[in-house]
Amino acid sequence: MIEMKQVQKHFGSLHVLKGVDLHVRPGEVVVIIGPSGSGKSTLLRTINYLEPIEKGEIWVDGTPVHQHKDLRQVRSKVGMVFQQFNLFPHLNALQNVVLAPTLVLKKSREEADEKGRALLTKVGLEQKAEAYPGQLSGGQQQRVAIARALAMDPKIMLFDEATSALDPELVGEVLAVMRQLASDGMTMVVVTHEMGFAREAADRVVFMDEGVIMEEGAPDDIFSNPQNPRTKQFLRRVLEK
Amino acid sequence: MFDWGAPIRNLDLLMQGLVVTLQVATLSFVFAFALGLVGALARRSHFWPLRFVATVYVEVIRNTPVLLQIFVIFFGLPSVGIRFDAVTAGIIALSVNSGAYLTEIIRAGIQSISRGQIEAAIALGLTPAQIFGRVVFPQALRNIYPPVVNQFIMVLLGSSLLSAIAVPDLTGNALVVNSRTYRTVEVFTFVTLVYAGLTLTASGLLNLLGRLLFPRATAR
Ligand SMILES: Nc1ncnc2c1ncn2[C@@H]1O[C@H](COP(=O)(O)OP(=O)(O)O)[C@@H](O)[C@H]1O
Ligand SMILES: [Mg+2]
């Protein structure tokens, strides 16, 4: 579903991705962990080409993204959820959800509305369809953002620290929606600091540091028996908190 | 000693002037807004000649007197073969003048929209035009609505300068009434009050419109 080969990227003189290989199969949930600044967000953002790359290949559902081909079509198939939600504040929850389906997929108003309400119900917010983002809690906003991404019928969902901007008591409601998606069989790439989620929901955990994938494997192996000293050190630091 | 009947007896001439003032100001503002939008996009263009032209436009207009800009268009352009009647020349001058200020206002509005908003729209697969029209511009307009209303008021009041090229607006017709009646204090006091009433009404109505267009709930 996603195939990255030797992906390289600089920000000026900073070498952020130093040749990353990543393969994600359909229906797989891959969780990326690693210290802050290691390039996790950048890696995720290259998948829908929000960040251009300099070297390497990225294939998404058979399309060579690195050749800038059909970028908009690829983006409409790849949902993205951001740390800061990035809901459109001038639109209410339902309008946020139906905007892209009507503009990009050319769905009729009625069809988009019906599906939009169904998705808001799925994330537990059927009562909030007419509420504006400014009237919603962080957790509710993030759930609307997930519904907005799902409204495009994506084949892949990307999550970039979707719960990091939330008050601790609101993290659970968003993780619950993500767990539900994972068990529905959605292909997901998730950057998170929630090790509990990684352990339970991931099919594979990828540890990234300094722009390279240091280690990857099944959650049990990574958490109980990490091989790389950097992984050990990182896990010791985050798990003792 | 005062004769307040003088403006009242010439009320129809003054009201004709008021209608011209409203027409000229409204048309000028609409053109100015369109110019401002184009100017703002040009100032943010990746193509440097566009940026350069827009910057020169803004700087020239903002650093020269409006009255001279009016004179250049009405008296200056005919010497190169471009001739307008006074009302047309006046509308062009006010549009070009206010367009420069609106360029800066709209540019600031566009700049106030966070990168995250645009990235979310890109990630959903929207086209650049859809991103601008459905995500960036509506939010920018909300953020800049008060200075935009203020620009309209400036155009409304600034249109009185067009009396200098004999546009029959409220001020122009007041000059006519004054020269007929020699009741300078009465005529200009009356007209001043009409302008004040006009701007207060206009800003009141536009603020109301703003509250309808941009409900409080839609604030970031
Ligand atoms: N747009 C950018 N311009 C310059 N440097 C950036 C930009 N985005 C990220 N970086 C830098 O690239 C490195 C990797 O960032 P990021 O991918 O966000 O890491 P992570 O998500 O793992 O915390 C960091 O050092 C960060 O400061
Ligand atoms: Mg990050």
Side-chain angles (χ1 to χ4, degrees):
Chain A
M1 188 62 80
I2 304 173
E3 182 81 59
M4 310 181 88
K5 291 180 194 157
Q6 284 302 306
V7 169
Q8 300 230 20
K9 163 136 195 118
H10 287 81
F11 282 120
S13 61
L14 185 68
H15 204 173
V16 210
L17 299 178
K18 302 174 182 165
V20 174
D21 292 292
L22 183 69
H23 180 86
V24 181
R25 285 182 296 278
E28 198 179 16
V29 176
V30 173
V31 170
I32 303 178
I33 60 173
S36 151
S38 57
K40 305 181 297 295
S41 298
T42 307
L43 180 68
L44 201 68
R45 292 157 53 85
T46 62
I47 296 173
N48 60 359
Y49 230 63
L50 281 180
E51 297 289 356
I53 62 168
E54 290 135 19
K55 276 208 199 111
E57 295 181 12
I58 302 173
W59 296 77
V60 175
D61 195 26
T63 309
V65 172
H66 56 285
Q67 292 173 7
H68 309 220
K69 268 185 69 180
D70 306 318
L71 271 189
R72 225 173 305 123
Q73 214 218 323
V74 167
R75 284 168 177 157
S76 69
K77 289 191 290 193
V78 178
M80 188 162 209
V81 178
F82 301 85
Q83 185 175 346
Q84 299 299 336
F85 328 135
N86 294 340
L87 286 181
F88 306 129
H90 60 301
L91 303 177
N92 68 29
L94 184 62
Q95 290 167 335
N96 264 279
V97 173
V98 302
L99 183 72
T102 49
L103 292 179
V104 180
L105 305 179
K106 311 285 179 210
K107 282 195 181 178
S108 72
R109 194 76 229 192
E110 298 74 47
E111 196 188 348
D113 272 7
E114 192 180 329
K115 166 132 196 188
R117 285 188 191 278
L119 284 168
L120 287 175
T121 305
K122 184 184 165 94
V123 299
L125 290 173
E126 63 274 29
Q127 311 293 345
K128 299 289 185 183
E130 271 75 39
Y132 286 92
Q135 299 168 314
L136 298 172
S137 74
Q140 292 170 330
Q141 288 189 55
Q142 194 61 297
R143 285 185 280 151
V144 173
I146 294 172
R148 176 176 71 175
L150 292 174
M152 294 296 287
D153 284 321
K155 294 195 161 178
I156 300 165
M157 286 284 286
L158 310 175
F159 293 83
D160 190 1
E161 297 199 28
T163 58
S164 295
L166 298 176
D167 293 337
E169 73 270 21
L170 302 178
V171 169
E173 62 191 60
V174 172
L175 288 181
V177 171
M178 292 168 64
R179 275 199 197 92
Q180 179 63 45
L181 263 183
S183 63
D184 289 348
M186 175 64 76
T187 307
M188 293 165 62
V189 184
V190 181
V191 172
T192 186
H193 293 299
E194 294 293 329
M195 295 303 146
F197 177 85
R199 207 186 264 272
E200 297 158 37
D203 296 310
R204 186 149 50 98
V205 174
V206 170
F207 173 69
M208 235 183 126
D209 196 8
E210 294 182 347
V212 292
I213 291 177
M214 292 278 178
E215 185 169 359
E216 59 183 304
D220 279 349
D221 296 336
I222 297 285
F223 286 108
S224 316
N225 189 18
Q227 301 300 311
N228 191 300
R230 304 294 285 263
T231 320
K232 286 181 191 164
Q233 191 191 0
F234 173 77
L235 286 176
R236 209 178 312 121
R237 212 154 21 84
V238 294
L239 291 177
E240 77 190 13
K241 274 197 276 187
Chain B
M1 111 137 232
F2 288 118
D3 174 15
W4 294 100
I8 304 301
R9 277 191 302 279
N10 292 283
L11 201 57
D12 47 339
L13 195 57
L14 293 176
M15 287 307 111
Q16 281 165 24
L18 176 62
V19 170
V20 172
T21 290
L22 278 173
Q23 287 172 335
V24 165
T26 308
L27 271 178
S28 300
F29 180 75
V30 169
F31 291 138
F33 194 88
L35 257 179
L37 191 54
V38 172
L41 291 174
R43 287 209 71 168
R44 294 177 54 83
S45 166
H46 293 298
F47 185 56
W48 73 261
L50 265 183
R51 272 201 317 272
F52 179 75
V53 169
T55 306
V56 169
Y57 162 56
V58 168
E59 292 308 323
V60 167
I61 295 298
R62 293 203 309 179
N63 291 291
T64 53
V66 199
L67 192 56
L68 281 187
Q69 295 164 15
I70 295 168
F71 285 167
V72 164
I73 288 172
F74 188 61
F75 299 119
L77 290 186
S79 67
V80 293
I82 308 172
R83 205 172 298 274
F84 302 108
D85 63 83
V87 171
T88 311
I91 291 173
I92 294 173
L94 290 182
S95 306
V96 168
N97 176 267
S98 182
Y101 291 91
L102 282 166
T103 292
E104 286 306 275
I105 293 170
I106 296 172
R107 183 172 74 121
I110 295 173
Q111 242 156 19
S112 71
I113 306 309
S114 74
R115 181 75 199 147
Q117 287 287 306
I118 297 163
E119 285 183 351
I122 293 176
L124 286 165
L126 271 60
T127 65
Q130 289 168 339
I131 294 172
F132 185 76
R134 306 298 291 267
V135 175
V136 175
F137 188 66
Q139 296 186 59
L141 190 58
R142 186 212 151 87
N143 293 350
I144 59 175
Y145 192 72
V148 167
V149 168
N150 189 50
Q151 259 313 296
F152 178 69
I153 302 299
M154 300 299 279
V155 172
L156 199 59
L157 296 177
S159 66
S160 74
L161 287 170
L162 300 183
S163 59
I165 55 171
V167 168
D169 74 326
L170 182 55
T171 305
N173 283 4
L175 289 168
V176 172
V177 173
N178 177 53
S179 65
R180 278 187 198 163
T181 62
Y182 296 105
R183 288 294 173 180
T184 308
V185 173
E186 293 88 333
V187 170
F188 287 114
T189 304
F190 179 80
V191 166
T192 302
L193 290 175
V194 174
Y195 272 114
L198 197 60
T199 53
L200 288 175
T201 310
S203 59
L205 287 176
L206 289 170
N207 287 335
L208 199 65
L209 178 67
R211 244 170 286 152
L212 290 176
L213 286 175
F214 312 113
R216 192 169 270 276
T218 65
R220 284 196 66 88

